[in-house]
Amino acid sequence: MPNFCLLVVAGPDLGRRIPLGEDAVTIGRGPAEVLKLADTAVSRHHLTVRITQDPHGRPMLMVDEVAGVNPVWTLVDGQRVTIVRGHALAVGGTLTLGSTTLQLAVDAPAVAAGAPEPRGRSTVELDARLVAHPSAPSRLAALASLGDRLARCSSLQAVLREATAWAIGALPASRALLLSPDGSDILSSASDGIVSDLAMSRALLERVRNERRAFLVRDIQAEPDLADRRSVLMRGIAGAMAAPANNLVFYIEWGTNEAVHGSYDEEALLLLLCAAHLVSALGDSASERSQLKAAASVRRTPAKPAVRMIGTSAAMQRLQVFIERVAASPATVLVRGESGTGKELAAALIHGLSSVANGPFVAINCAAIPEQLLESELFGHERGAFTGAVAQHDGVFSRADGGTLFLDEIGEMSLSTQARMLRVLETRSFTRVGGTRETTVSVRLVAATHRDLRAMVADGRFREDLLYRLSVIQTELPPLRDRPDDIEPLVRHFAAHFGEEIGRRVERIAPDVLEVLRSYRWPGNIRELRNVVERALVLGDGTSIELDDLPPELLHSAPPRPAAVAAAPLGTVRTLEQLERDAIAAALHVTGGNKARAAALLGIDRTTLYRKLKDHDLGR
């Protein structure tokens, strides 16, 4: 009978082999284990196995003990089966624990020495081939392991972190990066500590972006546009590959040893592509779950329901990761952005994902409160502190104790109030207006502004020391005009929301409507888009949003379509009246006689169109 071994076919210890004899083999991370693994998802002592025989004398791997925290499983007819004590595996069977997959195989040296093979269809032959070419089972097990790890993640940040860590051990890779769709933002990264400081292959990323498919460097190394290939090779990287998904790019690099042994081929690229789509899908799911969890922690009224961030653009991916990262810290956060970009929503999500999510979320707009009353609203006042103060009043700092306080438009504060805010941020203590007793609170502070606070500091209108304390962590929300790909999902979200309120079901958004919406500058950002969609649903009818449902100012601001201009002899120049008549006739023809849509195309209101129809005798 040939000798047998346990072969690591997936995980950080890929390629390791331990021979099996009569003695039991212990497996885990501990120093005393016979098979010591580097996989951090494996327990110090995870399981014990030994080689045995079935009643027909065929070798089997018997599981004597399962002691690890994480379950051990195998694949039977493509289905995942959990391993328990007493479970036996035939030659070729696999055990998956953590991110590591082990396979019972024929010891390659024994086969090479001409050891006798069992009769019948040679499972030993099959297993010998698997030992020589372990890519198929190992990659399938690696993908199953990735799915299992990602399904346990409750946030986008955790999904991205797990995916890059998985790539280092399972592929294996020297460096793994998850990038935004345009390749400009690194959402997560991991490395083996050797090549983490190397530049990415920008030519490879550009190719992946333009053609939206996966590439190996060696597949395109002969092409002239891969200008940075030589510099990458000279810096110690034998190659790289990248695969696109719906809202990210999975990029990996490997060193010279892997390239020499041919570990990276079309099957590895297919694995990376599958992994990219798996990360994208489960990342979206985890992101939505974390947002719903955060929104549920913020008290909302029926008139102001809990909402979530809509969009999968690079900017929104970056913002979601930022929110999940800073939520775990008690540091003060400064959110900058134009009016209507969703600063309060971002603050609410930070609160909902933080350790004080069970506490109150209190929001105040500093610009909406008169200057003489702002200090009272912030810190409260004692009875009789000023005319009209008939009772003691708790300010927002007191009401937010144990939770999060969101100060919107903090740039509108007076310098005297800024001075008091400075001390509160330092000590988290204050006195009410007209009072003498100091009150101490535990408050997470998130501030927001649409102004350039540094410019205000230069002009003497904002305290520099307050700016430093507010901007411990800061980010800027992207304006809607910089994320046109998110406009369609936003429109559909608002259409579904308002359609449910007024009883109108919208099934289609006309392509010319989306064209106008994407080309508009949106000075009011998402708030303005929300109002436009609400107006379209209230004033329109049917199951679709058409061009004449949009307000005229959007149509007037749309860039004109390019038209061919040719010089004409003086005798062929037509009058303005003739041109106007032809334009009206063409608009009516294009819209099938729909006067409302024709007026929208012409950039005039319906009353003007009716008058011109009468003037030009175009009533029919």
Side-chain angles (χ1 to χ4, degrees):
M1 185 178 73
N3 295 328
F4 296 92
C5 69
L6 272 179
L7 181 68
V8 181
V9 294
D13 299 278
L14 179 67
R16 285 191 60 190
R17 176 179 60 85
I18 183 168
L20 297 173
E22 296 180 356
D23 297 333
V25 174
T26 56
I27 303 171
R29 286 188 298 109
E33 303 300 294
V34 176
L35 178 55
K36 181 182 176 182
L37 299 173
D39 187 353
T40 56
V42 173
S43 300
R44 293 180 64 84
H45 172 56
H46 209 110
L47 76 160
T48 304
V49 298
R50 60 184 172 88
I51 197 73
T52 184
Q53 294 182 351
D54 67 6
H56 301 287
R58 290 175 296 196
M60 303 184 72
L61 187 71
M62 180 69 70
V63 177
D64 280 348
E65 176 193 23
V66 178
V69 176
N70 294 330
V72 182
W73 54 275
T74 187
L75 292 175
V76 178
D77 296 328
Q79 301 296 317
R80 177 173 164 170
V81 176
T82 302
I83 297 294
V84 295
R85 180 182 178 184
H87 199 109
L89 294 177
V91 175
T94 60
L95 293 171
T96 298
L97 53 156
S99 304
T100 300
T101 299
L102 308 171
Q103 183 182 49
L104 176 62
V106 177
D107 202 356
V111 174
E117 299 179 1
R119 300 176 182 177
R121 184 181 182 279
S122 179
T123 49
V124 175
E125 265 185 31
L126 174 64
D127 295 316
R129 290 197 302 271
L130 291 176
V131 170
H133 305 285
S135 61
S138 66
R139 286 167 183 160
L140 179 61
L143 197 61
S145 172
L146 175 63
D148 181 63
R149 291 171 66 170
L150 299 187
R152 302 170 186 267
C153 297
S154 59
S155 67
L156 175 61
Q157 181 189 4
V159 167
L160 301 179
R161 185 174 58 245
E162 283 288 339
T164 50
W166 165 87
I168 296 299
L171 289 172
S174 299
R175 179 167 63 160
L177 304 170
L178 278 166
L179 310 169
S180 59
D182 59 0
S184 61
D185 297 303
I186 298 177
L187 303 176
S188 180
S189 65
S191 75
D192 60 4
I194 301 175
V195 296
S196 59
D197 61 333
L198 297 180
M200 293 180 289
S201 172
R202 290 293 173 184
L204 175 62
L205 288 175
E206 192 66 23
R207 187 72 181 271
V208 170
R209 283 185 57 206
N210 292 341
E211 301 191 24
R212 297 302 300 166
R213 61 189 180 100
F215 283 99
L216 272 164
V217 162
R218 73 184 191 195
D219 289 340
I220 56 175
Q221 59 185 1
E223 299 189 16
D225 64 340
L226 196 64
D228 59 351
R229 178 178 64 89
R230 179 172 299 178
S231 63
V232 171
L233 289 172
M234 289 177 62
R235 297 184 68 177
I237 296 179
M241 63 183 176
N246 294 332
N247 52 9
L248 53 83
V249 174
F250 211 155
Y251 173 95
I252 72 161
E253 293 167 345
W254 64 94
T256 53
N257 290 337
E258 290 85 354
V260 170
H261 289 92
S263 297
Y264 286 85
D265 51 21
E266 287 73 15
E267 289 185 6
L269 190 60
L270 179 61
L271 174 64
L272 186 68
L273 183 61
C274 293
H277 285 285
L278 189 62
V279 173
S280 175
L282 292 181
D284 287 344
S285 177
S287 176
E288 185 171 352
R289 287 198 305 273
S290 67
Q291 288 190 41
L292 291 175
K293 172 188 173 184
S297 301
V298 182
R299 296 186 179 91
R300 297 282 178 174
T301 64
K304 192 176 184 181
V307 292
R308 59 185 180 88
M309 293 191 302
I310 306 294
T312 58
S313 62
M316 296 307 292
Q317 287 281 330
R318 182 175 64 249
L319 178 61
Q320 177 67 21
V321 172
F322 171 84
I323 287 174
E324 292 177 357
R325 284 177 177 172
V326 304
S329 166
T332 301
V333 179
L334 176 63
V335 181
R336 294 176 287 111
E338 298 177 8
S339 176
T341 51
K343 297 187 288 293
E344 183 175 349
L345 173 59
L349 293 177
I350 290 173
H351 166 74
L353 295 174
S354 69
S355 59
V356 295
N358 293 329
F361 175 76
V362 179
I364 180 175
N365 189 333
C366 300
I369 301 174
E371 180 181 340
Q372 60 272 23
L373 296 179
L374 182 57
E375 286 196 29
S376 172
E377 187 59 30
L378 288 172
F379 311 117
H381 62 254
E382 298 289 349
R383 178 181 178 181
F386 50 84
T387 304
V390 295
Q392 179 180 293
H393 171 69
D394 286 334
V396 291
F397 271 95
S398 296
R399 299 202 298 270
D401 190 16
T404 301
L405 174 60
F406 174 58
L407 297 178
D408 198 6
E409 300 301 347
I410 197 166
E412 308 304 318
M413 277 187 180
S414 65
L415 289 173
S416 59
T417 307
Q418 292 177 32
R420 290 201 64 181
M421 277 292 301
L422 187 63
R423 185 173 184 280
V424 173
L425 291 179
E426 288 178 347
T427 64
R428 289 298 192 270
S429 60
F430 58 90
T431 56
R432 294 186 177 94
V433 176
T436 57
R437 185 169 57 89
E438 195 168 74
T439 302
T440 301
V441 294
S442 175
V443 172
R444 168 72 180 273
L445 186 65
V446 180
T449 182
H450 73 282
R451 295 188 179 276
D452 184 348
L453 295 184
R454 294 195 178 277
M456 294 181 66
V457 168
D459 294 340
R461 293 181 292 132
F462 200 84
R463 293 182 63 104
E464 186 175 19
D465 46 4
L466 178 58
L467 174 60
Y468 291 149
R469 283 166 175 78
L470 289 173
S471 56
V472 176
I473 301 174
Q474 59 180 310
T475 189
E476 185 161 2
L477 301 191
L480 187 55
R481 61 181 171 274
D482 289 348
R483 36 184 288 226
D485 292 341
D486 292 336
I487 286 180
E488 182 174 355
L490 281 166
V491 172
R492 296 190 182 280
H493 170 76
F494 291 137
H497 172 70
F498 292 117
E500 185 177 352
E501 287 186 353
I502 66 176
R504 179 184 172 189
R505 181 181 179 85
V506 174
E507 299 175 351
R508 175 180 174 271
I509 303 170
D512 50 359
V513 170
L514 291 175
E515 182 181 351
V516 169
L517 296 180
R518 290 193 183 104
S519 62
Y520 184 57
R521 293 288 296 170
W522 297 110
N525 292 289
I526 300 172
R527 185 183 295 117
E528 184 181 6
L529 176 63
R530 183 179 187 272
N531 295 339
V532 166
V533 176
E534 183 177 14
R535 176 191 185 278
L537 263 70
V538 171
L539 299 182
D541 51 24
T543 59
S544 64
I545 298 178
E546 300 293 343
L547 200 60
D548 56 332
D549 295 330
L550 300 181
E553 58 268 20
L554 262 68
L555 301 174
H556 295 162
S557 66
R561 296 183 178 179
V565 178
L570 184 59
T572 63
V573 174
R574 306 173 69 196
T575 66
L576 290 177
E577 183 179 356
Q578 291 173 323
L579 293 174
E580 186 177 70
R581 176 188 176 93
D582 291 346
I584 293 173
L588 289 170
H589 176 73
V590 168
T591 60
N594 187 317
K595 295 182 177 61
R597 295 189 62 196
L601 286 175
L602 293 168
I604 59 178
D605 57 40
R606 299 185 199 184
T607 304
T608 303
L609 177 62
Y610 289 137
R611 179 173 55 79
K612 290 183 179 295
L613 288 173
K614 184 177 180 180
D615 293 342
H616 295 297
D617 194 20
L618 290 172
R620 291 177 295 178

